[in-house]
Amino acid sequence: IYRDGAVLGAVYLCERDTEQAEILLAFRDRLATVSIVALMAALGLTIVFTRRLTGRITRLSQAVRTVREGDYAHRVTVEGNDELSELYADFNSMTETLQKTEEQRRRFVSDASHELKTPLTSIVNYVDLLQKPHTPEQEAEYLEVLDRQSKRLKKLTEDLVEASKASTGNMNVNIVRTNTREIIEQSLAEYGRRMEQGNLSVIVKIPEEPPQAMADGRLLWRVLDNLFNNVVKYALPGTR
């Protein structure tokens, strides 16, 4: 509306589409309903997943406590292929290693106790004999046995210390070029008399050029020492 070239006002005509408005309102309501349902579904799935994940973590935590209490045979059931399943598998592998280590430790303690018992019993018995009336010849025999058994006990004790160091990774190893021929001949000289007493024949084939090995001579000697000691103790007479 103009007057004298100036705008005084305006009139707007608006047609309302009732049907379209109802459709839009219905769509809005449905959208809100779907959103609420989707939110509740997502919340429900989150709760279920969280509970499942929490349960798996709890089972793993309980398994750790069980193993910590000494039950190294305990295992957890691996489910799925996710990261937590890989953690389950790593846990089972760790407990299997611990179980084997524990079995080896118990076997070692049992064997060590048996090995130590023999010389200790012998020493106790012969000390008791020395305290009783005896001849000079018997005394010399008793002292010889005591000397032999005390040396054996000392060697066993040293072996136990070395085995303990080896199991904990604290053993000092000096790897150098070593003449294996010298060590073999030293071992044969050490056990030659006992081999003859047991009617055991030793066959040695060493090449003219002495074989060399990168090893710790002291530890290599212990290996051969234990090997020949077992031969003397357990080999059948007349064998070679």
Side-chain angles (χ1 to χ4, degrees):
I1 300 175
Y2 296 91
R3 184 178 181 180
D4 298 330
V7 178
L8 298 179
V11 177
Y12 295 93
L13 299 177
C14 178
E15 181 182 2
R16 182 174 180 178
D17 191 340
T18 306
E19 182 178 357
Q20 184 178 13
E22 290 178 353
I23 293 175
L24 291 176
L25 290 175
F27 178 77
R28 185 192 64 182
D29 294 339
R30 290 179 182 179
L31 181 61
T33 302
V34 170
S35 299
I36 293 174
V37 171
L39 179 61
M40 293 180 63
L43 182 60
L45 290 175
T46 301
I47 293 175
V48 171
F49 178 77
T50 302
R51 287 183 176 178
R52 185 172 181 272
L53 181 62
T54 303
R56 295 174 67 187
I57 295 175
T58 301
R59 287 196 297 272
L60 183 59
S61 178
Q62 292 173 348
V64 171
R65 286 196 295 269
T66 301
V67 172
R68 187 175 57 191
E69 292 173 357
D71 184 7
Y72 299 118
H74 186 74
R75 301 289 187 273
V76 292
T77 303
V78 179
E79 302 174 350
N81 298 313
D82 54 4
E83 290 79 1
L84 192 55
S85 299
E86 294 179 1
L87 186 60
Y88 271 38
D90 292 340
F91 174 82
N92 289 339
S93 177
M94 178 194 68
T95 53
E96 182 178 357
T97 301
L98 289 174
Q99 184 179 10
K100 291 180 179 179
T101 302
E102 179 64 14
E103 291 174 353
Q104 292 174 354
R105 186 191 67 82
R106 291 180 179 178
R107 185 165 55 250
F108 172 76
V109 171
S110 177
D111 294 343
S113 300
H114 176 73
E115 291 291 336
L116 291 173
K117 182 179 179 181
T118 302
L120 282 174
T121 302
S122 180
I123 290 173
V124 170
N125 291 337
Y126 277 91
V127 168
D128 183 62
L129 289 174
L130 284 174
Q131 294 174 346
K132 297 178 181 179
H134 55 273
T135 64
E137 292 78 10
Q138 289 177 324
E139 181 174 340
E141 179 185 353
Y142 298 161
L143 291 176
E144 181 183 355
V145 174
L146 286 173
D147 180 64
R148 183 172 65 252
Q149 295 297 339
S150 61
K151 289 180 179 178
R152 181 185 176 189
L153 184 60
K154 178 183 177 183
K155 180 179 178 300
L156 288 172
T157 304
E158 291 174 349
D159 289 344
L160 288 175
V161 173
E162 292 293 337
S164 177
K165 290 181 179 179
S167 64
T168 57
N170 294 324
M171 176 180 288
N172 295 324
V173 180
N174 183 26
I175 303 296
V176 295
R177 187 175 296 277
T178 305
N179 189 332
T180 56
R181 179 173 186 170
E182 293 181 357
I183 298 179
I184 293 174
E185 291 177 346
Q186 180 184 355
S187 302
L188 291 174
E190 183 78 17
Y191 286 91
R193 182 180 177 184
R194 296 174 62 184
M195 294 263 190
E196 293 177 359
Q197 292 175 348
N199 193 22
L200 300 173
S201 301
V202 182
I203 299 177
V204 182
K205 294 182 180 180
I206 302 178
E208 295 182 359
E209 183 67 24
Q212 303 287 324
M214 296 301 297
D216 187 315
R218 177 179 60 89
L219 299 178
L220 184 57
W221 153 251
R222 283 192 173 274
V223 172
L224 293 176
D225 182 42
N226 290 329
L227 177 63
F228 282 114
N229 185 52
N230 288 333
V231 168
V232 171
K233 287 169 39 176
Y234 303 115
L236 296 175
T239 56
R240 62 180 184 173

